[in-house]
Amino acid sequence: MSQKCHFARDLWSQLDALRLGMNYSIEDTEKPQVLIDDCFGESHPGSFHLEKLGYEAMLGVHETGGRAVRHHVTDICDGWGQGHDGMNFILASREAIANMVELHASVVPYDAAVLISSCDKSVPAHLIAAARLDMPIVHVPGGSMRPAPNMTTSDLGGATAQFKKGEIGADVISHLQRCGCPTAGACQFMGTASTMQCMSEALGMALPGSALAPSTMSEIARYARTAGQYALKLAERGITSGKILTKAAFENAIKVHAAISGSTNALIHLPAIAHALGWELSPDVFDRINHEIPYLTNVQPSGRYVTELLWFAGGIPMVQWMIRDHLDLNVMTVTGRTLGENLDILKASGFFENNLGYLANFQLKREDLIRDPDKSRIGAIAVLKGNIAPEGAVIKYSACSPSMHRHTGPAKVFNSEEAAQEAIIANKINPGDVIVIRYEGPRGSGAPEMLMTTDAIVFDKRLNGSVALVTDGRFSGATHGPCIGHVSPEAADGGPIALIEDGDLIELDVAARRLTLVGLAGRKADEKEIAAALARRKTGWTPPDLSSRKGVFGQYTRQAASLMAGAYIR
């Protein structure tokens, strides 16, 4: 048994009595103890299959001479919260999951841990917990579900708006419901779930090649079993998560994020993980890197194909190989080797060619999924600032038509997403408008995603490609179009977005990294006049009364940091 567990037993011999009251043998009490904490539950397809991966990780631990202990903290899916107040609880769930995993690993003296998760809030929650714990930890991504027919992702968001308008019938909705989620696993596009799996691997916390593995293939089970083995190897060598989650590792991950056009939600989660390590990750780092790194992948929503095909093309290791000259190859990873050593081993083993035959089944080649860096445009994400967002805002311009990278239009202001979506469905929004949705930040309402509204725009032929959206809330990773989120300070904190009025002119300029109020009541105005108008409006502004909120929602909205800072509980 490890020194850590021996010390605990010397303090309190009842520890072994508790173990023997379960399914332990006497011999088990002498072995290194490994926590396996997964998000299994009948909660959504992204976690429904994780019990099997936990079992495989347990086998890996036992094969290597340890004793595995199973725990479960299931997560919830943004899909459950669409259209009602349940969406306001989703981001807060990240904190709850991280807290429970930290509790599991802190009360019992484990020697190592394996954390298993697939999706939007569970993967960052596990990485936050790993950052807090600083113990030998391996993360296992839960992989991708099979794609829907015609290699599409579910179009139910936009279809719902079309159905409400009477443009499609119930039969279309029914068909999409039956085929939208054909198996367990994360959604088949580079949304937040897929992005955060990739970030775990890019940070060095997951085994090379494990992110986005198809959930229905046997390879993902082998990754989980190997993770159990490596957890003990890390413990033997004293390699903890703190030695892997370095500032250099974060820069590497952000470079991979730029190359894959990852979800804007990574700009919430990576800073929150850094905060758990005791330092602050500035949004300016993301913007600097997106001026340097080529955008390589052709994956929905910014591209054509689904994530399963990216894995067949070589996955994150292939992306890292292509941008290796930009990466710090000396960072440590959960293999106990450096990133550079991992990539060299993969190259020599034939890993990069192993799955190309699966691409051939679709009559595709690697370059269809991962472009040559010399033939790719630079960057995918921009951090915007200006008199609307002094602390910043975020746009995924790779998923936006270049024609809207610079746009000026009149504001149509709404104090909730529901009101904005209803206005779109009622044809109250015109081409060229800039929809402003406020009081949807972490303190305003828990930072719900705006998928119902963004999809309503995309599926409205009159508006798609000509309307911008600005919000202090966040977006789904599936979002298309000129959508600017995370505006900080948020409206509930008295940020300038709270002071915008209908008809004010808003200018978006991606190249200049600007989001600016440039006019009042439909006419252009200079900076001095606008500043004076905002100051006058501020004197009449009343902050929202949040005093009646209770429970986890009240705790989160009272204490959450801004989205640009990471939306962690302060």
Side-chain angles (χ1 to χ4, degrees):
M1 179 178 281
S2 75
Q3 185 177 2
K4 181 178 179 180
C5 281
H6 267 307
F7 176 71
R9 294 172 77 195
D10 290 343
L11 285 175
W12 187 241
S13 59
Q14 187 175 333
L15 212 63
D16 284 350
L18 292 169
R19 289 172 174 143
L20 292 168
M22 300 187 294
N23 56 348
Y24 270 68
S25 66
I26 294 293
E27 293 75 18
D28 284 341
T29 65
E30 297 293 331
K31 298 174 181 176
Q33 306 293 305
V34 180
L35 169 67
I36 297 177
D37 218 327
D38 63 51
C39 287
F40 163 72
E42 294 183 354
S43 49
H44 60 101
S47 292
F48 184 68
H49 64 306
L50 297 184
E51 185 176 35
K52 297 176 182 177
L53 297 186
Y55 175 77
E56 292 292 338
M58 179 188 71
L59 291 179
V61 169
H62 291 172
E63 289 169 346
T64 317
R67 179 54 161 88
V69 181
R70 303 286 304 278
H71 283 61
H72 315 280
V73 182
T74 198
D75 56 342
I76 47 181
C77 174
D78 294 50
W80 294 119
Q82 298 292 341
H84 62 94
D85 287 345
M87 180 57 74
N88 298 341
F89 289 79
I90 298 290
L91 188 54
S93 73
R94 182 192 69 180
E95 310 306 302
I97 296 166
N99 289 345
M100 283 305 303
V101 173
E102 183 186 4
L103 289 170
H104 289 165
S106 298
V107 174
V108 179
Y110 291 107
D111 298 291
V114 178
L115 307 180
I116 307 173
S117 49
S118 299
C119 285
D120 300 42
K121 310 308 172 294
S122 56
V123 175
H126 278 175
L127 295 175
I128 289 169
R132 294 175 185 171
L133 292 165
D134 191 23
M135 60 186 289
I137 293 175
V138 182
H139 177 248
V140 179
S144 301
M145 70 168 59
R146 296 308 315 278
N150 302 310
M151 286 198 298
T152 62
T153 52
S154 175
D155 291 330
L156 275 168
T160 300
Q162 289 180 298
F163 177 70
K164 289 180 179 179
K165 285 185 169 185
E167 295 175 355
I168 59 173
D171 58 324
V172 176
I173 295 289
S174 179
H175 171 71
L176 290 171
Q177 288 171 330
R178 288 195 301 271
C179 67
C181 295
T183 70
C187 296
Q188 273 276 357
F189 54 88
M190 193 54 71
T192 309
S194 296
T195 297
M196 293 313 298
Q197 289 190 31
C198 296
M199 292 299 92
S200 178
E201 184 177 333
L203 285 166
M205 289 298 297
L207 292 171
S210 58
L212 310 181
S215 64
T216 55
M217 291 180 66
S218 58
E219 188 68 19
I220 196 170
R222 287 190 281 274
Y223 279 122
R225 187 177 294 203
T226 303
Q229 298 166 356
Y230 271 96
L232 285 170
K233 294 178 181 179
L234 292 177
E236 289 172 4
R237 295 181 56 185
I239 299 174
T240 65
S241 50
K243 295 178 180 178
I244 295 171
L245 292 170
T246 62
K247 292 184 179 181
F250 276 80
E251 289 235 356
N252 281 352
I254 295 169
K255 289 172 183 177
V256 170
H257 183 268
I260 64 175
S261 185
S263 166
T264 54
N265 285 302
L267 279 80
I268 305 170
H269 300 314
L270 289 176
I273 299 163
H275 176 77
L277 291 163
W279 56 279
E280 302 303 314
L281 177 59
S282 169
D284 294 338
V285 177
F286 290 87
D287 199 66
R288 168 175 59 79
I289 286 172
N290 275 272
H291 277 95
E292 304 169 0
I293 301 300
Y295 161 43
L296 300 179
T297 58
N298 186 13
V299 177
Q300 300 175 23
S302 299
R304 179 177 179 182
Y305 298 110
V306 294
T307 52
E308 176 183 278
L309 301 183
L310 177 60
W311 188 78
F312 292 149
I316 293 307
M318 192 69 238
V319 172
Q320 291 171 318
W321 183 264
M322 287 190 169
I323 63 170
R324 64 191 182 278
D325 291 344
H326 296 277
L327 301 177
D328 184 335
L329 300 178
N330 294 314
V331 296
M332 181 55 62
T333 73
V334 292
T335 65
R337 296 183 290 269
T338 66
L339 171 60
E341 290 170 335
N342 288 342
L343 292 177
D344 287 340
I345 290 170
L346 292 174
K347 178 71 172 176
S349 70
F351 172 86
F352 294 134
E353 286 71 43
N354 286 347
N355 293 320
L356 294 182
Y358 290 106
L359 281 183
N361 290 341
F362 298 94
Q363 298 183 327
L364 295 172
K365 298 179 180 179
R366 173 179 288 141
E367 51 266 34
D368 294 316
L369 275 296
I370 308 177
R371 294 178 282 259
D372 186 322
D374 294 333
K375 299 178 181 178
S376 301
R377 63 181 186 264
I378 300 297
I381 300 283
V383 175
L384 312 177
K385 292 186 178 180
N387 57 14
I388 292 173
E391 295 175 7
V394 176
I395 182 172
K396 187 181 197 178
Y397 60 84
S398 61
C400 168
S401 169
S403 64
M404 288 294 287
H405 286 188
R406 186 170 185 178
H407 174 74
T408 301
K412 291 290 183 69
V413 182
F414 303 92
N415 290 337
S416 71
E417 185 201 11
E418 293 82 358
Q421 193 210 27
E422 289 171 5
I424 294 167
I425 293 171
N427 293 320
K428 294 180 180 179
I429 305 298
N430 299 312
D433 285 349
V434 178
I435 300 170
V436 176
I437 305 177
R438 60 195 182 192
Y439 297 103
E440 298 284 23
R443 290 173 62 77
S445 57
E449 70 174 29
M450 305 283 118
L451 182 61
M452 288 184 66
T453 299
T454 57
D455 269 8
I457 295 170
V458 168
F459 284 84
D460 189 319
K461 295 178 181 178
R462 191 174 64 91
L463 301 179
N464 186 30
S466 68
V467 168
L469 192 159
V470 175
T471 180
D472 55 4
R474 63 183 180 88
F475 294 118
S476 162
T479 296
H480 303 255
C483 300
I484 302 97
H486 309 184
V487 170
S488 298
E490 63 177 285
D493 275 340
I497 191 173
L499 310 175
I500 298 172
E501 296 180 355
D502 282 342
D504 288 348
L505 299 179
I506 295 175
E507 181 181 74
L508 158 67
D509 190 332
V510 172
R513 300 305 202 249
R514 299 285 293 172
L515 178 65
T516 315
L517 196 65
V518 295
L520 304 168
R523 63 174 180 82
K524 287 273 190 174
D526 60 31
E527 292 183 12
K528 185 176 180 180
E529 183 182 359
I530 290 170
L534 292 177
R536 286 194 303 273
R537 293 174 185 179
K538 186 66 178 281
T539 61
W541 176 77
T542 302
D545 181 4
L546 311 180
S547 61
S548 64
R549 293 178 176 178
K550 57 185 179 180
V552 64
F553 184 55
Q555 293 169 16
Y556 185 71
T557 55
R558 283 193 298 271
Q559 301 176 50
S562 74
L563 287 173
M564 293 303 293
Y568 49 81
I569 292 180
R570 292 176 283 201

